[in-house]
């Protein structure tokens, strides 16, 4: 995998070098990561085996939870292990693999959020045609297209990363491998690569955010013609989606859609969308969704009774 580079491994500086703070990082992010895995796994299992959650919205929520779990797994375990054992060395190949995984599942999360917005738009604005437009076959095709698009994006990112020559130093001022911190170590003029990065990741984050905001504005505007009960239910669902969109895209745009400059807060912002948002998504989608909570209760009640 290594090309035009004399560096065979990197040293991740992590979030802090203070021993006491590293212990705090270990405890806090272990809790966050375990909460992410448990919460998203509960949603995945509930949707998979519940008969009441067969609508397209929950079909897409299944893949959002899966992408969340994988997205967090691409960074959190490494951060946790490094904080506990001070094993900050990551090989070149592992670093490139992390870049690929980070962008594959991050991009998949973006595309699934767009599909969920499309689903809500059709359900609220075109309710009579909803079963036809959002049929199971259409949903499967949309998910396949999302995976293909995510793979193309992450492949483009890894191609950019592999073109970077590294001849030292090898200290990455971050807790994970990503193109921005790697650009600072490259032994070449990175202006054009950074421009490609902004036009790729930055454009995807920014344009997706604009599309989502416009779609939800249209949805909320169309709710005027619905009954009070219908507006309340639709607002509850859309509010959950809007919260997730803001929490994810705000930090994402801040990191990727800007000139090649670094700020002290970059690492904490990255923590928020790579670890924080996947942790919050299950909470947002279960605490604000009576159908998911009822399905979980029925599923686990049946399982306990059978045992």
């Amino acid at each position: 995998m290594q090309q035009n580079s004399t560096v065979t491994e990197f040293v991740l500086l992590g979030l802090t070098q203070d021993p006491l703070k590293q212990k705090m990082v270990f405890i806090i992010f272990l809790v966050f990561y375990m909460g992410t895995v448990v919460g998203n796994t509960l949603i995945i299992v509930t949707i998979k085996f519940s008969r009441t959650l067969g609508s397209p919205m929950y079909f897409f929520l299944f893949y959002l939870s899966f992408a969340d779990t994988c997205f967090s797994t691409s960074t959190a375990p490494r951060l946790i292990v490094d904080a506990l054992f001070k094993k900050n060395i990551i090989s070149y190949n592992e670093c490139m693999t992390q870049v690929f995984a980070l962008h594959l599942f991050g991009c998949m999360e973006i595309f699934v959020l767009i599909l969920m917005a499309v689903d809500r738009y059709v359900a609220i604005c075109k309710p009579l045609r909803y079963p036809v437009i959002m049929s199971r076959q259409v949903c499967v095709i949309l998910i396949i297209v999302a995976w293909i698009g995510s793979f193309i994006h992450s492949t483009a990112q890894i191609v950019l990363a592999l073109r970077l020559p590294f001849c030292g130093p090898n200290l990455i001022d971050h807790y994970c491998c990503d193109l921005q911190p790697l650009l600072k170590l490259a032994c070449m003029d990175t202006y054009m690569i950074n421009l490609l990065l902004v036009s790729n990741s930055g454009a995807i984050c920014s344009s997706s955010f604009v599309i989502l905001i416009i779609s939800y504005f249209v949805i909320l505007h169309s709710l005027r013609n619905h009954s009070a009960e219908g507006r309340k239910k639709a607002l509850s669902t859309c509010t959950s989606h809007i919260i997730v969109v803001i929490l994810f895209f705000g930090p994402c745009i801040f990191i990727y859609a800007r000139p090649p400059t670094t700020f002290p807060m970059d690492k904490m912002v990255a923590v928020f969308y790579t670890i924080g948002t996947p942790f919050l998504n299950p909470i947002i989608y279960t605490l604000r969704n009576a159908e998911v909570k009822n399905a979980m209760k029925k599923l686990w009640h049946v399982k306990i009774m059978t045992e």
Side-chain angles (χ1 to χ4, degrees):
M1 186 181 289
Q2 191 170 356
Q3 296 182 6
N4 302 322
S5 179
T6 58
V7 173
T8 59
E9 60 186 23
F10 298 98
V11 177
L12 295 170
L13 296 182
L15 294 176
T16 179
Q17 296 296 302
D18 184 273
L20 179 60
K21 290 181 179 178
Q22 283 184 332
K23 293 178 182 178
M24 294 174 61
V25 166
F26 169 77
I27 295 171
I28 292 172
F29 289 102
L30 178 62
V31 172
F32 267 68
Y33 180 62
M34 293 303 296
T36 299
V37 173
V38 171
N40 283 294
T41 301
L42 280 174
I43 291 178
I44 290 171
V45 173
T46 301
I47 294 174
K48 180 69 175 178
F49 295 101
S50 176
R51 297 179 180 178
T52 61
L53 302 180
S55 67
M57 181 177 72
Y58 298 112
F59 176 79
F60 294 134
L61 179 57
F62 175 93
Y63 283 97
L64 179 67
S65 295
F66 176 77
D68 271 337
T69 304
C70 296
F71 187 48
S72 182
T73 300
S74 66
T75 57
R78 181 84 208 188
L79 172 62
I80 294 166
V81 170
D82 287 351
L84 180 64
F85 298 107
K86 300 180 177 60
K87 182 180 177 294
N88 301 46
I89 297 175
I90 182 170
S91 70
Y92 180 91
N93 288 349
E94 286 177 317
C95 186
M96 295 300 110
T97 302
Q98 191 174 59
V99 171
F100 182 83
L102 186 68
H103 286 272
L104 174 66
F105 296 112
C107 191
M108 184 61 185
E109 183 166 353
I110 290 174
F111 289 153
V112 173
L113 287 172
I114 292 175
L115 293 178
M116 293 176 78
V118 171
D119 173 71
R120 289 302 85 202
Y121 169 79
V122 177
I124 294 170
C125 300
K126 300 181 183 296
L128 298 179
R129 300 184 59 193
Y130 180 75
V132 177
I133 297 175
M134 300 303 295
S135 66
R136 188 73 173 185
Q137 184 179 6
V138 170
C139 292
V140 170
I141 292 172
L142 290 174
I143 283 294
I144 292 174
V145 171
W147 276 115
I148 293 172
S150 301
F151 182 80
I152 292 172
H153 164 73
S154 55
T155 300
Q157 297 299 96
I158 198 65
V159 167
L160 291 178
L162 290 172
R163 289 175 59 86
L164 296 174
F166 301 102
C167 49
N170 66 340
L171 299 177
I172 300 178
D173 188 15
H174 214 288
Y175 63 90
C176 68
C177 285
D178 200 1
L179 272 174
Q180 284 85 350
L182 287 173
L183 286 173
K184 296 173 63 177
L185 304 180
C187 307
M188 63 176 289
D189 183 4
T190 59
Y191 175 79
M192 285 303 299
I193 291 183
N194 188 79
L195 192 63
L196 291 172
L197 174 63
V198 172
S199 62
N200 187 346
S201 298
I204 289 176
C205 290
S206 302
S207 59
S208 299
F209 181 71
V210 172
I211 291 170
L212 287 166
I213 293 300
I214 292 174
S215 66
Y216 282 116
F217 177 79
V218 174
I219 290 171
L220 295 174
H221 185 264
S222 68
L223 289 176
R224 298 180 305 168
N225 303 323
H226 288 66
S227 64
E229 184 178 350
R231 283 199 301 268
K232 183 179 179 182
K233 184 177 180 180
L235 279 172
S236 177
T237 303
C238 291
T239 301
S240 299
H241 294 191
I242 292 171
I243 291 172
V244 171
V245 166
I246 293 173
L247 291 177
F248 182 80
F249 283 93
C252 186
I253 292 171
F254 177 81
I255 293 293
Y256 293 108
R258 71 175 198 222
T261 55
T262 56
F263 299 101
M265 67 181 75
D266 281 358
K267 287 190 282 188
M268 291 310 301
V269 172
V271 162
F272 196 82
Y273 79 86
T274 58
I275 299 174
T277 304
F279 171 77
L280 293 173
N281 280 355
I283 299 173
I284 292 170
Y285 280 109
T286 53
L287 292 182
R288 297 185 58 86
N289 194 310
E291 286 183 281
V292 175
K293 286 190 290 186
N294 291 334
M296 281 185 178
K297 290 177 183 177
K298 290 179 182 179
L299 181 65
W300 297 112
H301 177 71
V302 170
K303 184 175 181 180
I304 291 173
M305 292 295 290
T306 54
E307 290 177 354

